Amino acid sequence: MKTTAQRSPYAWRTVDIVVAAVLGVAIGVIFWFWGMLWQATAPLFVFFPPAQAVIYGIWLLPGVLGMLVLRKPGAGVLTSVAAATVSALLGTHWGMIVLVAGFFQGLLPELVFLAGRYRSWGMAASVLAAAAAALAPIGMDLTMTYADWPASFMAAYAAFVAASSVLIAGVGGRLLTTALARAGALTPFPSARG
């Protein structure tokens, strides 16, 4: 039996699973409110619907934040799918497709951290991970929901989703991780050291 000192830094502990689930549940509740905000603000963007994606980035936060906090393979997917599941259970007009979206929105940022061999956790990695996460809704939304838009609308939508993801999930996720570490909330994790 391996001791704690011999255990791989990528091995999952009970506390890792619990924290990923708690982050997912908390963000899933925010998703539910954000879905209502999305619906309520739609009339404000009737002049140029792609601009509404300026508020999209919150849906891309859990995949990035889960990785930044837990720093383990699978953390982005677990946190993002947990958030999507809570959102679906609370009721979303997008239906169960949010589970598929949650999976890809967690997987794509994971691939960025994997490419860095799980060693780079700074602002640049966070922003790149958020940009990667944005590819999921860009691909899904432009083929499933907005396929009838003109190319100019599609390009604008992609740009707004990417910018929102970079700011909210990337920069916001990194700043939130730093704030949690400074507050002592991440003591059992490597992210407590910055």
Side-chain angles (χ1 to χ4, degrees):
M1 183 175 193
K2 290 185 177 184
T3 65
T4 304
Q6 296 170 321
R7 184 181 296 161
S8 165
Y10 306 124
W12 281 76
R13 305 166 297 167
T14 303
V15 69
D16 300 323
I17 296 166
V18 169
V19 168
V22 168
L23 284 174
V25 168
I27 297 172
V29 171
I30 293 168
F31 280 4
W32 184 67
F33 284 108
W34 212 257
M36 290 188 290
L37 177 67
W38 183 269
Q39 294 301 326
T41 59
L44 300 176
F45 298 97
V46 73
F47 69 97
F48 190 61
Q52 188 175 17
V54 73
I55 64 171
Y56 203 109
I58 195 73
W59 283 305
L60 303 168
L61 178 63
V64 176
L65 185 62
M67 288 302 297
L68 290 172
V69 168
L70 298 169
R71 300 185 179 184
K72 294 185 184 301
V77 170
L78 178 57
T79 306
S80 188
V81 169
T85 302
V86 169
S87 174
L89 291 174
L90 290 175
T92 173
H93 72 278
W94 291 288
M96 298 308 282
I97 194 69
V98 298
L99 299 178
V100 175
F103 174 77
F104 286 107
Q105 291 168 5
L107 177 64
L108 292 173
E110 286 224 21
L111 296 177
V112 171
F113 293 110
L114 171 63
R117 299 171 64 196
Y118 301 109
R119 292 184 180 155
S120 182
W121 304 102
M123 186 64 77
S126 182
V127 165
L128 283 173
L135 296 175
I138 290 169
M140 288 180 70
D141 294 351
L142 294 181
T143 56
M144 297 170 61
T145 307
Y146 306 122
D148 59 341
W149 275 359
S152 60
F153 274 33
M154 289 185 173
Y157 183 80
F160 280 118
V161 169
S164 181
S165 181
V166 163
L167 287 174
I168 297 174
V171 174
R174 180 65 252 171
L175 294 175
L176 181 55
T177 303
T178 301
L180 289 170
R182 286 185 180 154
L186 304 180
T187 302
F189 306 102
S191 52
R193 297 186 294 275

